Amino acid sequence: MTRRSRWVALLGSGAMLVATAGCTADDGDTATAAPTAGATAAPAPASVDLPQIIARLQPSVVAVRVGQGLGSGVVFRDGGLILTNEHVVGDRESVEVALADGTRVPARVVAADAVTDLAVLRAERADLPPAPFRTELPPPGEPVVALGSPLGFLNSVTAGIVSGVGREIPGSASQGNALVDLIQTDAAISPGNSGGALADYSGRVIGINDAYLPPQTGAVSIGFAIPAATALDIADDLLDDGRVTQPYLGVAVARLTPQIARSLNAGTDRGVLVRDVDGNGPSAAAGLRPGDIVTQVAGERTDTLEEFLGALRSVEPGQRVSVTYLRDGDTRQTTVTPTAATR
């Protein structure tokens, strides 16, 4: 059976200007355009040798050349398999990847998915070192680094923190890309960073850089990455049969903190908070409302956000799914029938 992605789509209300972070036009190994403003780098813990960690990770991060454009990618599996963004490769069947050692090799686009904005490449060099991945979501405030080739500056590193998790960009789903359930960071992400690595201070990839809010929105250093667990699940789907099947619940969820649990008089801090519901989606039809706390999905406990996302891995569009939730301290049950996410 094809592994399902951890993607929960929510149609945002109202459009927001958002820029995907690649490709950028490239006339050489550096660019003349001024980079967008970035945040002050978060200090590394005293016990961390960050330059050494970056040096170990950089061989796993490549530049993806598409004609005159340039994006980034991350080696995620032996055999030269590379993750990048779909908007980096577009409809190309082959690209060129530039490696950290200065060499360039051809790569074939194995499969791509526009909804999740991910693509898998296979480089014609099988000895590329896969990066270590971390599938647990990072907590807000954790220091991170973004690696890639922004504006043609190859092998660039920027630093910041995790600003939030479970983010969605309003209006993005209606524009064709389901940019939801993202990691938000203030590590500077610019055109050309797309498909690169967002990594923790141990050198593990926690996300694939995807988009940022440009300065004309009034934003300062608001960038987004697709969580590693989501990206790896989608990569498996793409390698299985070239397609990604995504159940659409029409609900946005968030981590239930003790403070939020107390404000809701939930009587527990175990579960996942329903933060928003698409009024025309399957969850609304099943009676779920903002403020509900989901404790089980398809018979699996969802004490944490990670468990909620994991419970969706075996869910298919059209499948009736039991959901147990708390409302005003009372335990309730309903059945949600997710639809297929539309492209």
Side-chain angles (χ1 to χ4, degrees), residues 45 49-50 214:
D49 186 348
L50 194 55

Side-chain angles (χ1 to χ4, degrees), residues 101-170:
D101 62 10
T103 61
R104 301 182 184 181
V105 297
R108 178 173 60 89
V109 179
V110 177
D113 181 71
V115 173
T116 56
D117 197 21
L118 285 165
V120 174
L121 314 178
R122 187 184 297 274
E124 291 185 11
R125 181 168 161 180
D127 63 344
L128 302 183
F133 277 70
R134 165 183 161 189
T135 56
E136 299 84 7
L137 285 172
E142 179 173 348
V144 291
V145 291
L147 291 84
S149 298
L151 296 166
F153 291 94
L154 302 182
N155 303 320
S156 293
V157 182
T158 57
I161 63 170
V162 172
S163 304
V165 295
R167 301 299 201 205
E168 73 275 347
I169 299 174

Side-chain angles (χ1 to χ4, degrees), residues 88-331:
V88 169
V89 299
D91 59 359
R92 295 295 186 98
E93 295 183 357
S94 62
V95 297
E96 183 182 64
V97 295
L99 311 178
D101 62 10
T103 61
R104 301 182 184 181
V105 297
R108 178 173 60 89
V109 179
V110 177
D113 181 71
V115 173
T116 56
D117 197 21
L118 285 165
V120 174
L121 314 178
R122 187 184 297 274
E124 291 185 11
R125 181 168 161 180
D127 63 344
L128 302 183
F133 277 70
R134 165 183 161 189
T135 56
E136 299 84 7
L137 285 172
E142 179 173 348
V144 291
V145 291
L147 291 84
S149 298
L151 296 166
F153 291 94
L154 302 182
N155 303 320
S156 293
V157 182
T158 57
I161 63 170
V162 172
S163 304
V165 295
R167 301 299 201 205
E168 73 275 347
I169 299 174
S172 63
S174 61
Q175 295 169 11
N177 290 320
L179 299 181
V180 298
D181 290 340
L182 303 175
I183 298 170
Q184 180 188 335
T185 181
D186 67 352
I189 294 176
S190 303
N193 268 124
S194 272
L198 187 69
D200 63 17
Y201 272 27
S202 69
R204 296 175 297 172
V205 177
I206 62 171
I208 301 297
N209 297 325
D210 189 73
Y212 66 97
L213 298 185
Q216 55 264 43
T217 66
V220 177
S221 295
I222 299 180
F224 302 94
I226 301 167
T230 301
L232 291 174
D233 278 349
I234 291 168
D236 282 339
D237 280 353
L238 292 175
L239 288 170
D240 280 344
D241 58 10
R243 298 183 300 115
V244 178
T245 303
Q246 304 150 58
Y248 175 71
L249 298 183
V251 63
V253 296
R255 197 178 303 276
L256 180 66
T257 66
Q259 294 82 0
I260 294 175
R262 284 196 296 270
S263 70
L264 294 174
N265 296 317
T268 180
D269 59 1
R270 296 180 179 274
V272 175
L273 176 68
V274 175
R275 188 166 50 81
D276 201 1
V277 177
D278 174 9
N280 298 315
S283 292
L288 289 175
R289 304 175 188 169
D292 290 343
I293 300 170
V294 177
T295 57
Q296 285 190 21
V297 173
E300 297 185 34
R301 289 182 56 171
T302 56
D303 291 348
T304 65
L305 185 58
E306 289 83 358
E307 289 178 348
F308 175 86
L309 297 174
L312 297 177
R313 290 181 60 185
S314 60
V315 174
E316 299 185 25
Q319 175 185 345
R320 292 169 59 87
V321 179
S322 63
V323 175
T324 303
Y325 62 100
L326 296 174
R327 180 182 295 167
D328 299 325
D330 296 329
T331 300

